[in-house]
C-alpha cells in the first residue's frame, strides 16, 4: 500500500493557469476538454536520502483530478548520482521495484518506450527492448531504432528516436541526441554499421549484437521498414558470428540465444545481408562503434524519450487530445536539478491523466526548463527505497500492478 507522508497540509499552493486545448477523441485514450483554469496543489516534500526529495501534488482540470508524484534530485550534491537501471541485458524486462532493489538505488521512475508486442508478424517474438539509445555508467548499451519502428505517442516535429535525457561526466543533466557511428572492417572493404543491440534495423542495414543484447531473438530486427513498423519481415537476411576477430559462423536467418563473450553477431537485411554473405569462415573482421552526442561532454547516463519542453516552453506540435497516465523527466536551470514525475493511475474517484501538451505545461511549472516524455500508461511507476531493504511503489500503476519494463531512471545517494 502506498505510504503518505505525515499530515497532508498545503505548505506550497501554486495556481497554474493554462489553456487545455480542445479536440475530438482519438483511439487509445479519452479527449481533453475545453480550456479552463487549472489549480496545482503541492504537499510537503520529504527527504528520501541526502539530495533526494519526494512529494505529491494534485491538479484539478475540467475533466477531473490529476494526482502526481515527484522526485527532486540535487545533482549539485556530490553524494547523489543518477544512472540507468536495467535487467542486465537489453532484451529483457523487470518491474521498477526489482531494478531498484537489485542496484541499491534510493528512487526511480520507469524509462523508455519499448517493443512491448508483436502482433503484426506471427511467429516473431517481442524482444522487450527499448526504442532509444541507452547508456549506463558510461557504457553504451544500444542505439535507436528507425523512427517508423518506434512505440509510443506520435513524435512532435523535429524529434527522433535518437533523442535522450541524460547526465554527463560534468554532473549536469541535459537533453541530447545520440547517433550511432560504426563500421565493420572486412577483407573486401569497410561496411557501415547501422544498428547496435536494437529490435529493428534500417532497411539495407547491418546491425551488431553483443553480449549486452541477451538471449532474445534477433529475427525482429529484419521486420518492418523505416517508415512502417507493420511491414512484412524481409525475405533477404543473413547473420554472421565474429569471434575473437574472425568469422566463426554464417547463417541465412537471424538466430536466438545469448552472444558469447568475445563475440559479436552481425545481422543484415537486403543490401546489408548481401554484403555479409560475401564473408568466409576464418576471415578477419573488426567491428567498431560509438554513440556520438551534440555536446562535448559525454553522457555517463542516458535514456530515450522525446522532448516536450525546451528553454522553459512546451515544444510545438505536442498532442493536445489524448489523455493518459504519464511519466516525465525534467531539468532545472543549469542542469543541476532533475525532476522525475509519474502520475497516479488509480481508477475511479474522478481521477484522470494528461495530454502530452498538458504534461509539458505541468513540467515547466514544476521548475523544468527542459523535459522529456517517458513511457506512460501501464508503465508509469515511481518507486522509493528506505535504505534498509524496503522498496515502496508510490503511485498506483494503471494496470493494477507494476508492468515489467526494460529500463528505469535510477537515483543513488551515498550519504
Amino acid at each position: 500500500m502506498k505510504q503518505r507522508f505525515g499530515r497532508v497540509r498545503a505548505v506550497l499552493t501554486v495556481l497554474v493557469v493554462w489553456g487545455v486545448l480542445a479536440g475530438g477523441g482519438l483511439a487509445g485514450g479519452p479527449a481533453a476538454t475545453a480550456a479552463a483554469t487549472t489549480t496545482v496543489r503541492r504537499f510537503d516534500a520529504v527527504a528520501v536520502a541526502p539530495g533526494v526529495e519526494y512529494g505529491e501534488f494534485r491538479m484539478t482540470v475540467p475533466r477531473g483530478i490529476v494526482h502526481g508524484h515527484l522526485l527532486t534530485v540535487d545533482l549539485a550534491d556530490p553524494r547523489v548520482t543518477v544512472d540507468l537501471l536495467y535487467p542486465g541485458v537489453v532484451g529483457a524486462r523487470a518491474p521498477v521495484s526489482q531494478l531498484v532493489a537489485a542496484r541499491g538505488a534510493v528512487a526511480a521512475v520507469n524509462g523508455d518506450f519499448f517493443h512491448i508486442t508483436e502482433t503484426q508478424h506471427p511467429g516473431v517474438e517481442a524482444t522487450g527492448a527499448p526504442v532509444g539509445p541507452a547508456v549506463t555508467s558510461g557504457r553504451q548499451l544500444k542505439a535507436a531504432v528507425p523512427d517508423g519502428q518506434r512505440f509510443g505517442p506520435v513524435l512532435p516535429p523535429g524529434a527522433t528516436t535518437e533523442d535522450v535525457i541524460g547526465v554527463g561526466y560534468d554532473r549536469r543533466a541535459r537533453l541530447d541526441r545520440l547517433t550511432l557511428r560504426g563500421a565493420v572492417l572486412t577483407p573486401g572493404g569497410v561496411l557501415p554499421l547501422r544498428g547496435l543491440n536494437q529490435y529493428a534495423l534500417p532497411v539495407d542495414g547491418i546491425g551488431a549484437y553483443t553480449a549486452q543484447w541477451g538471449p532474445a531473438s534477433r529475427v525482429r530486427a529484419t521486420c518492418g521498414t523505416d517508415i512502417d513498423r507493420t511491414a512484412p519481415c524481409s525475405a533477404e537476411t543473413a547473420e554472421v558470428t565474429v569471434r575473437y576477430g574472425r568469422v566463426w559462423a554464417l547463417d541465412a536467418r537471424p538466430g536466438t540465444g545469448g552472444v558469447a563473450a568475445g563475440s559479436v553477431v552481425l545481422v543484415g537485411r537486403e543490401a546489408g545481408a548481401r554484403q555479409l554473405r560475401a564473408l568466409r569462415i576464418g576471415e578477419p573482421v573488426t567491428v567498431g562503434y560509438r554513440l556520438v552526442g551534440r555536446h562535448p561532454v559525454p553522457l555517463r547516463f542516458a535514456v530515450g524519450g522525446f522532448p516536450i519542453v525546451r528553454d522553459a516552453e512546451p515544444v510545438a506540435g505536442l498532442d493536445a487530445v489524448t489523455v493518459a497516465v504519464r511519466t516525465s523527466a525534467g531539468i532545472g536551470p543549469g542542469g543541476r536539478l532533475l525532476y522525475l514525475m509519474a502520475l497516479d493511475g488509480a481508477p475511479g474517484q474522478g481521477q484522470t491523466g494528461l495530454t502530452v501538451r498538458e504534461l509539458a505545461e505541468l513540467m515547466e511549472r514544476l521548475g523544468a526548463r527542459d523535459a522529456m516524455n517517458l513511457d506512460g500508461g501501464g508503465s508509469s511507476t515511481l518507486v522509493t527505497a528506505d535504505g534498509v531493504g524496503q522498496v515502496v511503489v508510490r503511485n498506483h500503476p494503471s494496470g493494477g500492478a507494476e508492468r515489467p519494463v526494460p529500463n528505469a531512471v535510477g537515483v543513488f545517494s551515498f550519504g
Side-chain angles (χ1 to χ4, degrees):
M1 184 176 68
K2 184 174 43 149
Q3 294 182 354
R4 300 287 181 190
F5 286 96
R7 203 181 339 160
V8 178
R9 49 192 181 89
V11 298
L12 178 59
T13 301
V14 184
L15 293 181
V16 181
V17 180
W18 75 76
V20 180
L21 301 182
L26 290 179
T33 57
T37 299
T38 307
T39 302
V40 176
R41 189 182 186 193
R42 293 174 65 173
F43 302 106
D44 268 341
V46 299
V48 172
V52 184
E53 292 187 339
Y54 162 76
E56 300 180 56
F57 63 87
R58 286 183 181 272
M59 179 168 64
T60 303
V61 296
R63 60 184 176 273
I65 296 172
V66 178
H67 183 192
H69 304 258
L70 181 68
L71 291 166
T72 304
V73 183
D74 183 4
L75 296 175
D77 190 322
R79 298 168 294 182
V80 175
T81 61
V82 177
D83 204 0
L84 188 77
L85 307 181
Y86 74 113
V89 294
V90 170
R93 298 193 287 154
V96 176
S97 60
Q98 289 185 18
L99 298 175
V100 165
R103 282 282 304 275
V106 298
V109 297
N110 64 288
D112 199 359
F113 299 90
F114 61 96
H115 183 205
I116 189 171
T117 186
E118 194 52 59
T119 58
Q120 299 92 350
H121 306 103
V124 176
E125 302 172 13
T127 64
V131 168
V135 179
T136 181
S137 300
R139 187 168 68 253
Q140 299 179 341
L141 298 180
K142 70 174 299 290
V145 302
D147 288 351
Q149 292 269 19
R150 66 183 296 277
F151 290 78
V154 175
L155 290 174
T160 84
T161 53
E162 295 180 345
D163 286 319
V164 297
I165 187 168
V167 178
Y169 281 92
D170 57 0
R171 297 183 52 83
R172 293 179 185 269
R174 69 176 190 263
L175 301 186
D176 206 338
R177 186 168 286 180
L178 294 179
T179 302
L180 178 66
R181 298 282 184 260
V184 181
L185 279 61
T186 77
V190 178
L191 310 179
L193 189 69
R194 303 287 304 283
L196 172 64
N197 291 331
Q198 55 199 61
Y199 67 79
L201 294 174
V203 172
D204 293 321
I206 296 173
Y209 294 81
T210 70
Q212 289 292 334
W213 171 252
S217 171
R218 296 177 290 275
V219 172
R220 179 58 184 79
T222 60
C223 299
T225 69
D226 300 357
I227 59 173
D228 183 5
R229 195 179 70 209
T230 68
C233 297
S234 176
E236 195 172 10
T237 64
E239 181 171 280
V240 173
T241 301
V242 178
R243 189 172 185 184
Y244 298 115
R246 292 192 176 272
V247 176
W248 181 265
L250 303 169
D251 294 283
R253 182 173 168 80
T256 188
V259 178
S263 298
V264 177
V265 173
L266 300 173
V267 174
R269 56 179 299 176
E270 296 90 30
R274 295 191 291 273
Q275 292 170 324
L276 291 182
R277 287 197 209 104
L279 297 174
R280 297 293 178 261
I281 298 292
E283 286 186 330
V285 171
T286 301
V287 182
Y289 56 82
R290 64 192 179 105
L291 298 176
V292 179
R294 272 58 172 173
H295 193 277
V297 178
L299 290 171
R300 186 181 180 276
F301 144 76
V303 67
F306 63 85
I308 57 173
V309 178
R310 287 189 184 274
D311 298 323
E313 293 289 341
V315 304
L318 297 176
D319 174 37
V321 176
T322 305
V323 175
V325 178
R326 308 282 180 186
T327 301
S328 182
I331 303 167
R336 292 300 196 181
L337 282 179
L338 186 66
Y339 303 100
L340 302 176
M341 192 284 301
L343 297 184
D344 205 273
Q349 300 178 335
Q351 194 155 298
T352 185
L354 294 173
T355 68
V356 179
R357 169 72 187 193
E358 290 170 336
L359 177 66
E361 297 277 6
L362 170 64
M363 293 304 292
E364 189 271 326
R365 283 160 174 79
L366 290 176
R369 291 191 58 83
D370 300 287
M372 217 49 163
N373 183 39
L374 302 176
D375 192 13
S379 298
S380 286
T381 310
L382 188 147
V383 170
T384 63
D386 61 8
V388 293
Q390 183 68 26
V391 177
V392 181
V393 179
R394 294 296 179 185
N395 70 327
H396 292 92
S398 61
E402 284 187 84
R403 171 187 285 170
V405 295
N407 55 36
V409 182
V411 183
F412 298 82
S413 178
F414 301 100

